[in-house]
Amino acid sequence: MMTGSDPNVNPAKPPEGTVTFLFTDIEGSTKLLHHLGEKYGELLLSHASIFRSVIQHWDGYEVDNQGDSFFVAFESPQNALGASEEIQHRLAEHRWPQEVEVHVRMAVHTGEPTLIGNRYIGMDVHRAARMCQIAYGGQVLLSSTTAAIPQNGLANGVELQDLGEHWLKDLETPEHIYQLNVPGLPSDFPPLRSLEARPNNLPVFSTPLIGREDDLVAAKDLLNQPEVRLLTLTGPGGIGKTRLASELVLEVFKDYQDGAHFIPLASITDPSDIPAAIARILRVRDFGSRPILELLIEKLRTQHLLLLLDNFEHVMSAVDAVQTLLESCKELNVLVTSREVLRLRDEYSFAVNPLELPDLLKVQQISTIEQNPAVQLFLQRAGSFKRGFKLTDQNASAIAQICSRVDGLPLAIELAAARVKSLSPQELLRRLLPDEKYSPLEYLSKGARDAPERHRALRMTISWSYDLLQPDEQSFFRSLSVFKGGFNLESAISVCARSREESTAPLESHDAEYIDLIGSLMDKSLIRSVESNLDESRFEMLETIREYAWETLSGRGDSDEVRSQHAQHFYALVKDASVYFETAEEAEWFNRLETDYPNVRAALQWYYETGNWTQGLELCKKLRLLWLFRGYLTEGTEWLEKFLSMPGTENNPGLRAVALDSVGFISRYREDYTAASDAANSALVLRREIGDRNGEADSLANLGYIQIQKGDFSTATMFYRNALAIYREQGNEQGIADSLSHWGLIIFYQGDYETAKSMDEESLAIWSKLGDSSALAWAEYRLGNVTLHQGEHTVAQEHFQRSLTISNTIGYKFGIAFSLEGLACVRVRQGKFEEAVFFAEAAKSLRDPNGILMPVQARLALAQELQPILDSLDASTIDAQIQQVTSMLPEEIIQLALQ
């Protein structure tokens, strides 16, 4: 690829003061490369030749060129626009290899950037680059500052087209954008690909919101009132609260400087887990001894943010946490969906009503009926199930009555519409009307007397869908309600097949059968597919449907059997995954377990409810690394303590010792060293009593780490020396490597760098043989620290870079963090202070709020080196260095660092 600028076409120096930037990029360059092969080089040469001749003619300064893109600076906007116009004309006229078409997107922005040497820095550079990213090939975009030039400064016939305001990635304010329309060149382009967003994880819907226009306006007006900081959308299940709330947030979240976030609560059963659920979405890591709510408040105290808490009705006892957040974080607003109000002092509520029902007296007037929102929703969904389905004179009355029969509830309408593949609207209506033939439907429509009539109608609709299922579909549907947070095909077969009395064949023989069952339930809108980061298909039930299925399962007395099978399956999954922990494949298995963690949590709950502390503690033992690496430390400690408090655990001292050691292991990362020492010492006593030598060494190593963090290196050395002796006696290579590494860490802190290096190299060799990727990342980091203090800055940088590469490959975020911290230290020693700040900030965005993963002594050393630099730098200086270092980091790390 051709890179760099051509000094032969540049003015003597780049313009200063008010400068106009031109950013360009070939649209679809990768496709052109694949299509042209070696001829692509010829295309790039011609492209560069055209650009440079025009740039020289208009006195432009070529700042940078990456082959398919140019960055040019001009003294005046008129010259920049003249060059843009001429380049587009010459590109259109040029005969390209194999007659391909070359379309170049352009953006022009005028500002006052800072010039350092021959490079520009500042937000004007970013704004121009971001504008170019949202343009289309052949299109020239102008910022508002460039468009402000007098119209007589434009060439004859050239006009500016107002495209309105657009949000650009990473920029805090929108840009009013214009399009340069040049005679003889295309001017009709699709809508700009602007972000139109602040940071968010809002759900995206593929269909338009129907019948909620007035509700959306009213709710928006209410939420925009300064005194409204907590707004609850209320209504029965299936009425569309989540959809309306999501659309409402999309309408208003541009007004929130720090964006908006969607917090799904349906899979959470313990209200005390609500702060942790919010924290995970906001990337507030659950580390240290401080309560997670306190960490969350610290994160949100100064943020202007909107939170959408979805499905709050089953965690009502968590309202105090919401109140605390609102009282402590004055710029925070909260939008809630719930079947009942939260009854908080500052709460405003908004009742979400059913869709407007059709006038049954006017069913013969199709033009009137088709304007009804309930009918429109039915037609939309029915059309997705049956191509060509439409409203006719023959079915209009039946469709209107169906919508009325289900009380205009969106979920009920969607479920009913799913049946048009096999039933006409008239047949569908007959099955919804109670009569002798369909008495079960009439019975299921009679819910609790104090339940809303609409809720009973929803139950009737789901019951009707359930009643029409084949017996094997019904059994499958009921059993699927045991899953929390979704499931994959393997889990569905394992849990549901084993729960059926007739199932005696191997699970593999059920594969085709269950694929058909899942497809059938998807067709009937009873389950739906969801996106997954794993290489598998994943499914879930809407919560209201899952509740109905669970009630049906429980009513038949089958829930305990299914829960038992469910717990066994996920116990087996965790057991299988744990074999790959501390190997090169651990990240893949951590991802899998985290995806299914709501189900793993349900398995733990089952073992606790049934008093099965043996299985519960075995499961905890296998989960401790997941709890550490994925930030579930508080929850992990709570589960361990719950099971350890159950009577009978003293009868299994080996398992109890493992659990106690795990409490110590987790507590040390929470910086609760008293609890960590007590638990680890108790485990050590038990292990010595039963003669568990490897376990004894594990507890000694645990105690050694705790003493390192306390700064008692003498005691820590004793523990690690004894642990290492036992590990060598037992041939435990993982233990040997770990002890060597941490003993070497002590020696490093004591200033004997050469001995520490030798021990780190020995541990690195062992972990290389074992294939323990996360440990290898740690070992490379350790060697980087040692060589850095020996003055070998280049070698240290190589170690830290290898640590970063390994960590990024396996998704080991904490490894990425401490690798970046190491690189920050290298930059300090090299005198590259701004780059050091960048690396340190990148690491800070990845690790926990207290920096616990970095050893205490190293944290202090880094803080001492960086703090004076941090105090002396302003944002523009840091921004200047970001451009120089981003090329050294993987894209995902850059994004995290720049958020």
Side-chain angles (χ1 to χ4, degrees):
M1 175 177 290
M2 298 160 48
T3 60
S5 61
D6 185 348
N8 295 322
V9 302
N10 268 354
K13 60 180 183 177
E16 297 185 68
T18 301
V19 178
T20 299
F21 291 141
L22 169 63
F23 272 78
T24 76
D25 179 52
I26 297 178
E27 184 178 59
S29 57
T30 303
K31 289 183 178 179
L32 287 172
L33 171 60
H34 287 304
H35 177 72
L36 294 175
E38 295 181 357
K39 289 286 186 179
Y40 183 66
E42 178 184 330
L43 180 148
L44 288 182
L45 288 173
S46 298
H47 167 263
S49 176
I50 292 172
F51 265 78
R52 287 182 172 133
S53 65
V54 175
I55 292 168
Q56 186 177 27
H57 174 74
W58 290 95
D59 296 326
Y61 182 88
E62 183 182 328
V63 182
D64 194 17
N65 163 42
Q66 296 299 321
D68 58 356
S69 63
F70 273 82
F71 172 15
V72 186
F74 295 86
E75 288 189 350
S76 72
Q78 288 88 348
N79 280 14
L81 295 179
S84 302
E85 177 186 348
E86 183 177 344
I87 289 171
Q88 291 289 16
H89 271 298
R90 290 185 59 177
L91 291 172
E93 295 165 357
H94 188 78
R95 294 191 61 179
W96 300 98
Q98 298 183 20
E99 303 300 322
V100 298
E101 295 183 353
V102 175
H103 302 288
V104 174
R105 47 178 162 242
M106 299 183 179
V108 184
H109 170 64
T110 304
E112 297 181 350
T114 300
L115 182 65
I116 298 180
N118 294 328
R119 294 286 175 176
Y120 293 97
I121 63 169
M123 293 310 299
D124 288 310
V125 178
H126 293 282
R127 189 170 295 274
R130 295 295 187 237
M131 285 175 56
C132 186
Q133 290 174 355
I134 68 170
Y136 291 87
Q139 189 176 34
V140 181
L141 299 182
L142 284 66
S143 68
S144 56
T145 54
T146 303
I149 65 172
Q151 293 296 304
N152 58 16
L154 298 175
N156 290 335
V158 176
E159 297 178 346
L160 297 186
Q161 179 180 342
D162 190 340
L163 300 183
E165 286 193 342
H166 293 266
W167 288 95
L168 304 174
K169 185 178 179 182
D170 299 329
L171 300 185
E172 291 297 324
T173 57
E175 177 62 48
H176 201 124
I177 294 178
Y178 297 80
Q179 177 179 299
L180 189 72
N181 289 339
V182 179
L185 293 177
S187 60
D188 187 13
F189 298 96
L192 295 181
R193 295 174 287 202
S194 52
L195 187 60
E196 294 302 326
R198 295 298 183 97
N200 75 90
N201 66 331
L202 302 177
V204 178
F205 299 94
S206 59
T207 55
L209 183 68
I210 293 178
R212 297 295 190 195
E213 293 81 3
D214 292 342
D215 287 340
L216 192 58
V217 171
K220 180 180 179 181
D221 289 342
L222 187 57
L223 188 60
N224 282 338
Q225 295 180 23
E227 67 271 22
V228 179
R229 296 185 56 218
L230 172 61
L231 176 61
T232 303
L233 304 189
T234 62
I239 202 165
K241 300 184 294 295
T242 299
R243 181 64 192 274
L244 177 60
S246 299
E247 294 288 344
L248 174 58
V249 175
L250 285 171
E251 287 275 327
V252 304
F253 84 113
K254 291 196 295 285
D255 301 329
Y256 290 83
Q257 182 175 343
D258 297 297
H261 290 275
F262 177 80
I263 316 294
L265 305 178
S267 66
I268 295 178
T269 57
D270 186 350
S272 66
D273 289 335
I274 298 303
I278 299 173
R280 281 193 288 275
I281 295 295
L282 297 181
R283 293 179 180 162
V284 176
R285 288 295 175 183
D286 181 9
F287 277 88
S289 57
R290 297 165 64 192
I292 188 64
L293 183 59
E294 185 178 320
L295 295 175
L296 195 56
I297 289 171
E298 181 175 281
K299 165 83 172 181
L300 300 181
R301 194 182 300 279
T302 59
Q303 291 201 355
H304 187 211
L305 184 74
L306 177 62
L307 293 182
L308 169 51
L309 305 181
D310 187 51
N311 280 344
F312 201 93
E313 60 274 356
H314 66 297
V315 289
M316 275 295 167
S317 60
V319 293
D320 290 343
V322 176
Q323 183 68 31
T324 300
L325 283 172
L326 288 168
E327 290 175 351
S328 304
C329 309
K330 301 304 182 183
E331 295 295 313
L332 173 68
N333 282 11
V334 178
L335 179 63
V336 177
T337 67
S338 176
R339 296 185 189 182
E340 60 181 304
V341 294
L342 276 58
R343 296 184 177 87
L344 290 176
R345 182 176 61 256
D346 299 322
E347 180 186 23
Y348 287 76
S349 64
F350 185 95
V352 182
N353 295 313
L355 294 175
E356 177 187 350
L357 298 178
D359 187 345
L360 298 182
L361 298 178
K362 299 180 179 179
V363 293
Q364 301 305 322
Q365 302 175 17
I366 292 184
S367 60
T368 300
I369 293 297
E370 66 185 0
Q371 298 304 314
N372 175 262
V375 172
Q376 288 178 345
L377 178 60
F378 184 94
L379 294 173
Q380 179 202 81
R381 300 308 301 141
S384 70
F385 288 105
K386 186 175 183 179
R387 182 180 300 178
F389 184 89
K390 60 183 180 180
L391 189 70
T392 67
D393 291 336
Q394 291 72 35
N395 64 26
S397 176
I399 291 174
Q401 291 183 70
I402 289 170
C403 294
S404 296
R405 186 62 192 164
V406 298
D407 285 345
L409 289 169
L411 176 59
I413 292 172
E414 291 187 14
L415 290 168
R419 286 295 170 183
V420 300
K421 284 202 305 184
S422 53
L423 296 172
S424 69
Q426 294 85 342
E427 292 172 317
L428 184 58
L429 177 61
R430 286 197 295 272
R431 284 161 172 78
L432 289 176
L433 296 174
D435 59 25
E436 183 176 348
K437 183 176 182 181
Y438 300 106
S439 56
L441 301 181
E442 181 180 356
Y443 170 77
L444 291 172
S445 70
K446 296 177 180 179
R449 292 184 180 277
D450 61 346
E453 176 65 25
R454 296 183 302 275
H455 200 166
R456 297 202 292 271
L458 174 62
R459 289 175 55 81
M460 180 193 69
T461 303
I462 300 175
S463 297
W464 163 78
S465 294
Y466 170 79
D467 195 60
L468 291 179
L469 297 175
Q470 296 298 315
D472 57 343
E473 292 177 325
Q474 290 181 335
S475 175
F476 187 48
F477 172 70
R478 292 193 303 269
S479 296
L480 288 178
S481 65
V482 74
F483 290 102
K484 299 293 183 69
F487 56 91
N488 61 15
L489 178 62
E490 177 187 356
S491 298
I493 296 175
S494 176
V495 174
C496 300
R498 286 197 173 101
S499 302
R500 294 166 60 184
E501 295 179 1
E502 69 272 23
S503 178
T504 58
L507 292 180
E508 292 78 6
S509 65
H510 296 285
D511 187 72
E513 172 190 358
Y514 279 89
I515 290 175
D516 290 342
L517 285 171
I518 286 176
S520 178
L521 294 183
M522 288 180 66
D523 286 344
K524 298 172 177 64
S525 293
L526 291 172
I527 64 173
R528 60 181 181 176
S529 62
V530 292
E531 290 187 4
S532 172
N533 293 326
L534 306 176
D535 187 19
E536 64 179 18
S537 297
R538 196 162 179 86
F539 312 92
E540 69 176 9
M541 282 184 173
L542 293 174
E543 188 60 21
T544 49
I545 296 177
R546 196 196 70 80
E547 289 175 359
Y548 172 83
W550 179 254
E551 290 175 6
T552 308
L553 181 72
S554 301
R556 295 171 60 92
D558 297 333
S559 59
D560 284 354
E561 179 186 356
V562 178
R563 287 188 71 188
S564 177
Q565 294 294 344
H566 175 271
Q568 289 180 43
H569 171 74
F570 285 100
Y571 176 90
L573 176 63
V574 174
K575 181 180 179 181
D576 291 343
S578 65
V579 174
Y580 296 96
F581 295 169
E582 299 181 319
T583 74
E585 299 176 63
E586 67 180 355
E588 176 184 345
W589 285 94
F590 281 150
N591 291 339
R592 171 69 189 278
L593 289 185
E594 191 162 30
T595 298
D596 264 320
Y597 192 71
N599 288 306
V600 174
R601 183 186 289 127
L604 286 164
Q605 184 65 32
W606 169 252
Y607 290 135
Y608 181 69
E609 289 178 11
T610 56
N612 192 343
W613 55 265
T614 303
Q615 290 292 89
L617 287 177
E618 287 284 356
L619 189 52
C620 289
K621 178 177 71 174
K622 294 171 175 59
L623 284 170
R624 82 174 194 173
L625 286 179
L626 176 74
W627 286 336
L628 169 64
F629 290 133
R630 297 303 168 95
Y632 296 94
L633 295 187
T634 300
E635 180 179 349
T637 303
E638 290 172 352
W639 280 117
L640 284 162
E641 291 175 345
K642 280 182 179 181
F643 286 113
L644 281 168
S645 68
M646 297 176 73
T649 58
E650 64 277 1
N651 297 325
N652 190 334
L655 185 56
R656 183 174 178 82
V658 171
L660 286 167
D661 196 68
S662 294
V663 172
F665 177 79
I666 293 176
S667 295
R668 78 192 200 191
Y669 286 104
R670 299 179 66 205
E671 291 190 332
D672 186 352
Y673 299 126
T674 300
S677 294
D678 290 346
N681 274 310
S682 297
L684 179 61
V685 170
L686 285 174
R687 284 167 158 170
R688 282 175 171 168
E689 287 178 355
I690 63 176
D692 178 5
R693 294 289 281 167
N694 269 312
E696 178 183 350
D698 287 344
S699 294
L700 288 169
N702 207 353
L703 288 165
Y705 186 93
I706 294 165
Q707 295 307 313
I708 289 177
Q709 297 303 306
K710 287 183 174 181
D712 186 350
F713 296 151
S714 177
T715 304
T717 298
M718 177 192 69
F719 281 130
Y720 274 115
R721 180 187 290 116
N722 292 339
L724 179 58
I726 297 174
Y727 284 137
R728 290 195 188 281
E729 164 198 306
Q730 299 294 313
N732 186 332
E733 291 189 293
Q734 182 66 248
I736 292 170
D738 183 76
S739 295
L740 284 169
S741 177
H742 286 91
W743 191 356
L745 179 62
I746 297 169
I747 294 173
F748 166 78
Y749 289 147
Q750 294 173 329
D752 185 353
Y753 301 139
E754 196 58 41
T755 303
K757 180 179 179 182
S758 175
M759 298 177 82
D760 284 328
E761 286 174 340
E762 187 175 350
S763 64
L764 175 66
I766 295 172
W767 278 324
S768 295
K769 183 174 70 172
L770 295 176
D772 187 344
S773 297
S774 57
L776 283 172
W778 165 255
E780 291 284 3
Y781 164 72
R782 288 291 319 119
L783 283 166
N785 261 349
V786 173
T787 51
L788 177 66
H789 282 76
Q790 290 179 317
E792 300 178 39
H793 300 163
T794 302
V795 176
Q797 178 171 316
E798 291 171 355
H799 283 300
F800 290 138
Q801 194 69 49
R802 282 196 290 270
S803 178
L804 178 62
T805 300
I806 295 169
S807 299
N808 186 55
T809 299
I810 65 174
Y812 181 25
K813 291 185 179 180
F814 304 145
I816 295 171
F818 58 61
S819 302
L820 290 172
E821 287 164 331
L823 288 169
C825 290
V826 171
R827 294 302 191 270
V828 168
R829 301 299 178 84
Q830 294 172 336
K832 300 177 180 179
F833 300 128
E834 293 87 351
E835 292 185 25
V837 172
F838 174 74
F839 282 120
E841 289 299 313
K844 182 179 178 181
S845 72
L846 285 159
R847 55 176 164 82
D848 63 281
N850 297 319
I852 291 166
L853 257 290
M854 196 176 190
V856 170
Q857 301 295 325
R859 284 211 316 275
L860 292 174
L862 178 63
Q864 290 169 358
E865 293 194 66
L866 288 184
Q867 195 57 55
I869 304 161
L870 287 167
D871 293 340
S872 66
L873 294 179
D874 57 27
S876 63
T877 306
I878 297 174
D879 179 72
Q881 297 302 317
I882 286 177
Q883 295 182 62
Q884 296 185 26
V885 295
T886 50
S887 62
M888 301 174 63
L889 296 175
E891 178 63 19
E892 56 267 34
I893 300 176
I894 295 171
Q895 296 307 319
L896 285 167
L898 298 181
Q899 281 181 358

